Amino acid sequence: MKTVIAVLIVVTLAGAAAFMRPAAAPRASEATVSRQPFVESLVESGTITAARVAVYGAPLGALPAKIVEIAPEGSAVEAGDLLVRLDIAPLEQMLAREMAALRRAEADLAAEHGAARMKAREDALQLLEAEAALTDAGREVARAEAAIEDLRPMLAERFITRTEFERAEQALARATEQRALAAARRDLRA
């Protein structure tokens, strides 16, 4: 066993000595120097975009805007120069439709105003009629009251019957009811 250990020690020392020995310098490769242009290229993929973008447009709502004329790209323009001309036919059609709708609405409004004026006149006339009916009913009550006052002494002297006097009282009651009804109608109209 001592021999095996001794062999192992010798092999380990030999391996360590092999690793510790400096390695031989590699041999340099040879090259010939000549003058040539130096070209370096870089190949990448990507997207180039403008640093600043200006968007010009007109608010046309939901209408499609067709460009009829446009200034040539890259041309110099000054203040007041034409940049873009749009087809305004769809806008003119929309304006015509809206103007027709406006005229219809104005006609409807005028008709409503006319109807409102007519209704106001009718209401005023009905109020006048109700006031006249109330006045007439008031006169009937006054007549019925006067008739009762005229008949009262006649009843006392027995020139008329009790039935005739009661008919006069009933006429006064009806006239009073008619006056109350006419007053209520007038109040509804006022």
Side-chain angles (χ1 to χ4, degrees):
M1 171 112 157
K2 285 186 180 179
T3 358
V4 175
I5 292 179
V7 172
L8 282 177
I9 291 176
V10 172
V11 170
T12 304
L13 289 175
F19 278 112
M20 294 180 100
R21 185 170 40 141
R27 298 181 78 188
S29 58
E30 295 180 14
T32 306
V33 177
S34 65
R35 185 173 279 252
Q36 295 181 351
F38 181 73
V39 178
E40 183 176 337
S41 62
L42 176 65
V43 178
E44 291 289 330
S45 64
T47 304
I48 297 175
T49 60
R52 185 174 65 98
V53 176
V55 177
Y56 299 97
L60 298 177
L63 294 176
K66 181 179 176 187
I67 297 175
V68 176
E69 187 177 346
I70 189 167
E73 187 175 335
S75 64
V77 293
E78 295 180 10
D81 286 354
L82 175 72
L83 293 178
V84 174
R85 179 175 292 142
L86 300 174
D87 180 16
I88 61 170
L91 293 175
E92 289 172 337
Q93 291 171 355
M94 183 177 77
L95 178 62
R97 283 192 303 270
E98 294 301 322
M99 291 301 290
L102 176 63
R103 285 191 294 275
R104 282 192 303 272
E106 287 172 342
D108 290 346
L109 182 61
E112 287 295 322
H113 279 16
R117 283 193 301 274
M118 182 64 82
K119 175 83 169 102
R121 288 181 189 140
E122 288 174 3
D123 289 347
L125 180 61
Q126 288 176 353
L127 179 60
L128 289 173
E129 289 172 348
E131 287 175 350
L134 179 60
T135 302
D136 289 346
R139 285 187 197 126
E140 286 299 317
V141 168
R143 274 190 222 127
E145 286 173 342
I148 295 253
E149 291 306 315
D150 289 343
L151 292 176
R152 199 175 302 276
M154 295 177 141
L155 178 63
E157 295 293 324
R158 296 195 191 245
F159 290 129
I160 62 168
T161 64
R162 182 79 184 144
T163 307
E164 290 174 305
F165 186 76
E166 287 174 356
R167 272 190 248 151
E169 285 179 329
Q170 290 172 356
L172 175 61
R174 279 194 305 274
T176 304
E177 289 173 0
Q178 289 299 318
R179 182 178 64 184
L181 183 60
R185 286 183 180 150
R186 190 255 344 248
D187 293 343
L188 284 175
R189 304 285 186 229

